Amino acid sequence: MAPEQCQAAPATFLQTPGLKKIPPYWYPYTTMAKMRWLDREILEVVSTEFRDRSMEYYRYALESGVTTINGKVAKPDTVIRNGDRIENVVHRHEPPVTSSPVKVLLQDDERGFIVIDKPGSIPVHASGRYFRHSLVEILKNEFGYKKVYTINRLDRLTSGLMIIPLSSECAQAMSKEFMAGTVRKEYVARCRGKFPADELTCEEPLLTVDRQMGLNIVHPEGKPAQTIFKLIRYDENTNTSVIRCQPLTGRSHQIRVHLQFLGFPIANDPIYSETKIWGPNLGRGGVDVVPSEERSAPAPPPHLHSEISPESLSDKITEVENIDPAVDKPKLLPRETGHDIGMGSPVPLSAEAVGIITRLRNMKDEDEDWSRWRDVVFRAKGALVPKGLPQVPLPPQNRRKRGGPSQVDEASKDTINIAVNDKVKSSETGEECSTPEGDPSLQFSTEEALARLPNMQTPPKQQRDNEPNTTDTGKTETLYCPECYLPLHPDPKPERLYIFLHALRYTTSLGSFETEMPEWTAEGWEWDQSWQTTYDIGLEVL
């Protein structure tokens, strides 16, 4: 559901050492139904595609009327059909990115392209929670390029060189070169351990098995992949090696997964070099691929256990609708049972792969202070309904765009208000009706909701990292967003926003282009490894 351009006001950046942040903002956007969504209820789709908010919040938002399908309000049980146009309004809380700037190394106006050096932490395209902090939007809004064509991409955590056409003609020519495999790509990385002195080639096939977490593994059903590695230097002080990497194919996370398979994962990779996820072997030699149906319901840490968990819907339905669970068991959505793991995988997952994905999700939740398990403040509020967003009538079906921002009246572009009890159209009858306030038995008073928060917090950030507990609003110790009631969490450390992988040189028909070597390739270079050490010690204790 990634938009193409932003309709909201220009970004205002917040200054934090090492970080670049923007305040949250309301944003309307549109997408067409994807194949994997067809014939599924929208609540199931939303809760499996996104994990930023709790299950209960997603139902609350849908019941409020913030989502429409083909111009009519969608309810949680609305089924998505082929050709449906889905429009939504969200309050975007974009994660911070590095304050290191994007650098334009070369601009060739005659041939219509630029060469840039992308810092780690910035995604190339808008996706998930990122929009204004994506490379495409930065080049448009901060550099003034009206149109850029990103024919290849780097991972969000990867830094380095990209060749970006400014014309469709250059983009078509470059796309053909990338597809033909004639572009020579060279990367540098710093990996764990002492890498062999001789050149090493890995040809293991790669497969994406979890779209939400972006997890890739070596799998016999994967796509062919080939990477050549060569040692540059071994640093005994950190037991790491700086290596040169030449990918001959362009699979997602190719260098990262191939290095992990060989037993030399990138030293600070939060996914593929984390013992908390993979165990002491760190995924060397790959994982088991024998399919398993074993799943378990997600569970919060002990201090967040609650009889009215925001991550469970069935118990609330049973209570409100007086359903006898012994006779009529309420329908459990995949996210409630853990069966959302593997839904997006092209192959059945093994028990080991399921465990890895579960631990990866838990680590992400922990990094964000388990915010979706603390997602309760909205219960004290009225229903959300978009107001002041007059929509342009739907175009004919064969002229509808696949996605992007919702078309709104120019006068209302910069102002997106949220109101209660506005008149909306029912998705079933098409008639105007008042949006429900929500069942009173599920609503807290403001005092009740706030009273629960002290029992639903992780230890303050400053107690864990000896740093101020700042949130994405730029304030200290704010518990939740006053506009969308999102539980807030501390900012990440700047050094955890990138990995030791850098695109150093590309050679194409346009020429050979390269960046400077990143600072972490210097001989004897050291960095803060305390977060990794903590995880390792914790596992040894267990």
Side-chain angles (χ1 to χ4, degrees):
M1 292 188 177
E4 294 176 354
Q5 61 182 6
C6 187
Q7 295 275 2
T12 300
F13 295 105
L14 302 175
Q15 296 299 321
T16 300
L19 297 177
K20 178 181 178 182
K21 303 192 292 183
I22 56 176
Y25 57 94
W26 288 103
Y27 182 83
Y29 68 95
T30 298
T31 187
M32 300 299 293
K34 295 177 171 56
M35 287 296 295
R36 64 180 181 272
W37 301 347
L38 302 186
D39 302 321
R40 296 168 59 192
E41 293 181 358
I42 191 168
L43 176 58
E44 178 188 320
V45 170
V46 170
S47 63
T48 54
E49 292 278 330
F50 305 102
R51 290 172 49 82
D52 298 335
R53 301 298 298 265
S54 66
M55 292 277 293
E56 189 179 352
Y57 176 84
Y58 288 132
R59 185 178 67 177
Y60 154 80
L62 287 166
E63 289 176 341
S64 294
V66 298
T67 303
T68 64
I69 296 181
N70 302 326
K72 297 179 180 180
V73 171
K75 294 302 178 185
D77 60 354
T78 299
V79 177
I80 298 175
R81 305 298 186 190
N82 192 19
D84 279 349
R85 176 187 173 98
I86 304 169
E87 297 185 340
N88 194 22
V89 176
V90 296
H91 197 232
R92 281 189 178 274
H93 287 252
E94 292 204 34
V97 296
T98 178
S99 59
S100 299
V102 174
K103 298 178 182 178
V104 177
L105 305 179
L106 171 70
Q107 178 169 326
D108 191 321
D109 293 326
E110 182 178 348
R111 292 185 289 177
F113 71 93
I114 57 175
V115 178
I116 65 106
D117 187 353
K118 181 188 86 71
S121 81
I122 296 176
V124 173
H125 300 102
S127 61
R129 288 180 288 179
Y130 294 90
F131 178 65
R132 291 174 177 167
H133 277 164
S134 66
L135 176 66
V136 169
E137 293 303 311
I138 289 172
L139 291 175
K140 289 180 182 178
N141 299 327
E142 299 181 29
F143 289 83
Y145 294 108
K146 293 182 179 179
K147 182 69 174 178
V148 294
Y149 298 82
T150 51
I151 52 176
N152 73 306
R153 68 178 67 186
L154 297 178
D155 294 342
R156 177 175 62 85
L157 299 178
T158 302
S159 60
L161 186 140
M162 291 183 65
I163 301 173
I164 302 180
L166 302 177
S167 68
S168 59
E169 294 79 11
C170 182
Q172 291 175 4
M174 288 301 302
S175 294
K176 291 179 181 178
E177 289 190 42
F178 275 97
M179 293 178 65
T182 58
V183 176
R184 179 183 174 87
K185 299 171 284 187
E186 296 179 51
Y187 291 67
V188 287
R190 183 179 284 273
C191 64
R192 288 195 182 200
K194 188 173 183 178
F195 200 83
D198 294 335
E199 184 176 277
L200 191 60
T201 299
C202 185
E203 298 181 328
E204 299 296 329
L206 303 178
L207 188 68
T208 302
V209 294
D210 190 88
R211 185 178 295 103
Q212 284 184 343
M213 306 309 300
L215 183 68
N216 296 266
I217 62 172
V218 167
H219 196 285
E221 298 297 320
K223 296 180 180 180
Q226 185 177 17
T227 315
I228 301 172
F229 299 102
K230 178 65 177 177
L231 176 68
I232 296 177
R233 179 182 55 259
Y234 171 68
D235 284 339
E236 187 175 2
N237 61 317
T238 57
N239 188 29
T240 60
S241 301
V242 178
I243 58 175
R244 192 175 302 273
C245 319
Q246 184 181 351
L248 303 184
T249 50
R251 309 305 178 202
S252 179
H253 294 189
Q254 176 174 320
I255 295 174
R256 298 165 68 182
V257 179
H258 273 175
L259 282 173
Q260 181 198 43
F261 182 86
L262 294 173
F264 304 95
I266 292 175
N268 68 338
D269 194 320
I271 296 180
Y272 301 105
S273 186
E274 180 50 73
T275 53
K276 189 175 183 180
I277 298 169
W278 301 88
N281 197 42
L282 285 174
R284 181 172 188 167
V287 301
D288 177 33
V289 297
V290 178
S292 170
E293 295 297 323
E294 180 182 342
R295 300 290 189 276
S296 59
H303 71 282
L304 291 181
H305 274 290
S306 170
E307 294 181 358
I308 31 180
S309 167
E311 276 292 278
S312 177
L313 299 179
S314 56
D315 56 344
K316 301 174 184 63
I317 295 174
T318 299
E319 178 182 350
V320 173
E321 299 181 4
N322 294 318
I323 295 174
D324 183 356
V327 179
D328 299 308
K329 291 186 178 181
K331 176 184 177 181
L332 295 176
L333 295 181
R335 184 161 139 182
E336 293 182 271
T337 64
H339 283 81
D340 59 324
I341 295 179
M343 287 187 68
S345 173
V347 298
L349 298 181
S350 67
E352 184 178 4
V354 170
I356 290 168
I357 295 170
T358 300
R359 292 188 291 274
L360 185 59
R361 291 182 176 185
N362 287 342
M363 191 179 76
K364 180 177 182 294
D365 285 345
E366 183 180 0
D367 285 346
E368 297 184 350
D369 279 357
W370 305 93
S371 64
R372 65 190 180 96
W373 295 94
R374 297 184 288 114
D375 201 359
V376 299
V377 173
F378 68 87
R379 293 175 180 168
K381 310 299 179 179
L384 297 174
V385 178
K387 183 180 181 181
L389 288 175
Q391 302 292 313
V392 174
L394 285 174
Q397 187 166 343
N398 62 352
R399 295 180 59 189
R400 296 179 187 175
K401 293 182 179 180
R402 298 302 300 174
S406 294
Q407 299 298 311
V408 299
D409 183 88
E410 288 294 323
S412 61
K413 263 188 183 181
D414 299 336
T415 305
I416 299 176
N417 297 317
I418 299 299
V420 178
N421 287 335
D422 277 8
K423 298 293 184 180
V424 297
K425 288 184 178 181
S426 166
S427 60
E428 297 180 359
T429 65
E431 299 176 354
E432 287 193 343
C433 59
S434 294
T435 300
E437 288 283 346
D439 191 292
S441 64
L442 296 182
Q443 292 281 15
F444 290 162
S445 68
T446 301
E447 291 74 19
E448 289 173 328
L450 294 178
R452 290 175 58 82
L453 284 173
N455 297 322
M456 304 187 74
Q457 299 177 57
T458 53
K461 183 70 172 175
Q462 61 267 37
Q463 292 182 15
R464 301 198 307 273
D465 296 331
N466 295 318
E467 292 184 349
N469 187 15
T470 56
T471 67
D472 57 7
T473 63
K475 300 179 180 179
T476 301
E477 296 182 348
T478 302
L479 296 177
Y480 66 94
C481 173
E483 294 190 60
C484 69
Y485 324 126
L486 172 72
L488 301 179
H489 47 79
D491 291 331
K493 290 184 176 182
E495 58 268 26
R496 294 195 63 182
L497 293 178
Y498 70 97
I499 58 175
F500 300 148
L501 179 61
H502 180 87
L504 181 67
R505 182 182 298 109
Y506 276 24
T507 302
T508 73
S509 63
L510 296 174
S512 183
F513 311 99
E514 66 180 285
T515 72
E516 296 179 350
M517 292 283 277
E519 63 174 358
W520 47 259
T521 61
E523 185 174 358
W525 193 81
E526 296 183 354
W527 70 101
D528 179 12
Q529 302 183 55
S530 59
W531 62 276
Q532 291 174 308
T533 304
T534 299
Y535 289 154
D536 291 346
I537 293 174
L539 282 167
E540 289 173 3
V541 171
L542 294 175

